[in-house]
Amino acid sequence: MKKKSKAVRYNKWGYIFLLPFIIVYVIFQLIPMVTTIYNSFFENYLSGLTQIGPNFVGLANYKKLFSDGDVWVYAKNTMVMWIMCFIPQIFLSLLLGAWFSDVSLKLKGQRFFKTVMYLPNLIMASAFAMLFFTLFSDSGPINSLLMQIGFIDTPYKFLSNVGSTRGLVAFMNCLMWFGNTTILLMAGMMGIDTSLFEAAEVDGATSMQVFFKITLPLLRPILVYVLVTSLIGGLQLFDVPQILTNGTGDPMRSSMTLIMFLNKHLYSKNYGMAGALSVVLFFITGVLSLVVFKITGNDKRKG
């Protein structure tokens, strides 16, 4: 009986230490999520100075959201820009991770280069977007430089072309996040047992064979984590295209993301549509994450 009561007393401290997390989660995540789902079933918006609602309308907000067709256009924009960012980011991070974690190379100044790689992640996205907006404007330094070297005769309108605008958004996000991804992958590579690499070297395996046959398979859990977190971050893409295009999503709404579309409803105080879009975004994120786990085989349970 004494042992049991002692265990209960220890468990009490575990629950006490969990309380701050539970309180923060309930206040800042659970309650807002429930409130958002609740608001999605109501008509609640401003028409001029007149407040309409809240009136219960059931699934009308969801029907309107999908009947307009805009949500699919913005979902496509979001995924295209995320893919344009993620593919070069993961290749660059794998290359740098393999390079820095290779003991045989004996690279000097690794700490300095790791710090430099991670620095863009510390810069606010808004500041980054303003910098690129200035650099790539019609009369900006990039156009001036290209004209001086004779590459172009007239200023190229980077922010008026679909490809260049999406490319700038993807490039900025890649610059901001590749350092974080590199650190994660490098930590995974350094955790691999060195005896595996030594055995492969004795067997005469090339560096490419070691990378594809040993490193990549053992990195799969971290790669899946990076893929899922990057996907969630990509679906929440907002600040860079918002500032770069001044909230318009131009040209021709090609850089308008789902969260920018959501922000427009919140700005116009249409809380019903904003709630419906938030719920749809939540389900899209969940479904895509499950698809990733199915494809990578990380949903299998060991028997």
Side-chain angles (χ1 to χ4, degrees):
M1 289 295 291
K2 286 181 180 179
K3 286 184 179 179
K4 189 175 181 181
S5 61
K6 201 171 185 180
V8 170
R9 283 203 300 271
Y10 285 141
N11 289 341
K12 178 186 71 175
W13 289 107
Y15 292 125
I16 289 172
F17 282 119
L18 280 173
L19 268 179
F21 166 78
I22 294 170
I23 292 169
V24 170
Y25 175 79
V26 169
I27 294 174
F28 293 103
Q29 291 193 6
L30 187 61
I31 292 175
M33 184 172 67
V34 172
T35 306
T36 300
I37 296 171
Y38 175 80
N39 285 331
S40 70
F41 298 111
F42 285 81
E43 179 186 52
N44 186 9
Y45 63 94
L46 277 175
S47 179
L49 297 176
T50 307
Q51 175 69 37
I52 308 296
N55 303 316
F56 181 76
V57 292
L59 298 174
N61 287 324
Y62 293 94
K63 290 177 182 176
K64 184 179 178 183
L65 189 65
F66 289 111
S67 62
D68 288 346
D70 288 341
V71 67
W72 299 118
V73 174
Y74 302 145
K76 177 191 169 187
N77 294 342
T78 306
M79 291 305 298
V80 166
M81 287 188 285
W82 172 71
I83 291 169
M84 288 173 68
C85 164
F86 182 74
I87 291 176
Q89 177 188 326
I90 197 68
F91 276 108
L92 182 60
S93 298
L94 281 170
L95 178 64
L96 291 172
W99 191 27
F100 283 115
S101 61
D102 193 341
V103 182
S104 63
L105 292 177
K106 297 179 182 178
L107 296 173
K108 295 180 180 179
Q110 286 196 33
R111 290 183 180 178
F112 170 75
F113 288 113
K114 289 173 188 176
T115 304
V116 170
M117 284 191 305
Y118 195 76
L119 277 178
N121 192 246
L122 303 177
I123 302 173
M124 288 180 63
S126 55
F128 220 65
M130 283 300 297
L131 172 64
F132 271 71
F133 180 81
T134 305
L135 287 173
F136 289 90
S137 61
D138 296 348
S139 57
I142 300 298
N143 266 318
S144 299
L145 179 63
L146 292 174
M147 290 174 69
Q148 283 177 9
I149 62 176
F151 193 76
I152 54 175
D153 297 323
T154 56
Y156 182 76
K157 298 183 181 296
F158 286 98
L159 301 178
S160 299
N161 291 278
V162 175
S164 57
T165 304
R166 285 177 171 175
L168 283 175
V169 172
F171 180 60
M172 276 186 277
N173 278 284
C174 182
L175 272 182
M176 284 191 295
W177 290 103
F178 87 94
N180 182 67
T181 305
T182 302
I183 298 296
L184 287 171
L185 294 178
M186 194 161 43
M189 290 175 184
M190 293 174 72
I192 298 172
D193 190 354
T194 54
S195 63
L196 295 172
F197 299 119
E198 292 167 1
E201 189 178 351
V202 169
D203 289 339
T206 64
S207 56
M208 292 291 288
Q209 288 174 326
V210 169
F211 182 75
F212 285 104
K213 299 292 184 180
I214 297 175
T215 307
L216 271 186
L218 293 174
L219 269 183
R220 191 175 70 172
I222 294 179
L223 283 171
V224 172
Y225 171 79
V226 168
L227 178 58
V228 172
T229 52
S230 178
L231 176 62
I232 294 169
L235 289 171
Q236 295 175 353
L237 185 61
F238 170 71
D239 37 19
V240 169
Q242 174 76 12
I243 294 170
L244 196 66
T245 65
N246 199 23
T248 61
D250 287 335
M252 299 178 292
R253 300 184 302 167
S254 60
S255 58
M256 176 75 73
T257 65
L258 286 169
I259 299 295
M260 289 172 70
F261 186 43
L262 171 62
N263 184 62
K264 284 186 175 293
H265 288 306
L266 290 174
Y267 187 76
S268 62
K269 300 188 185 299
N270 192 339
Y271 300 119
M273 287 294 291
L277 182 54
S278 298
V279 174
V280 168
L281 189 58
F282 174 77
F283 277 106
I284 289 174
T285 305
V287 168
L288 290 177
S289 298
L290 283 174
V291 168
V292 169
F293 274 94
K294 284 284 184 184
I295 292 173
T296 56
N298 269 47
D299 64 328
K300 293 177 182 176
R301 301 288 184 267
K302 291 182 180 179

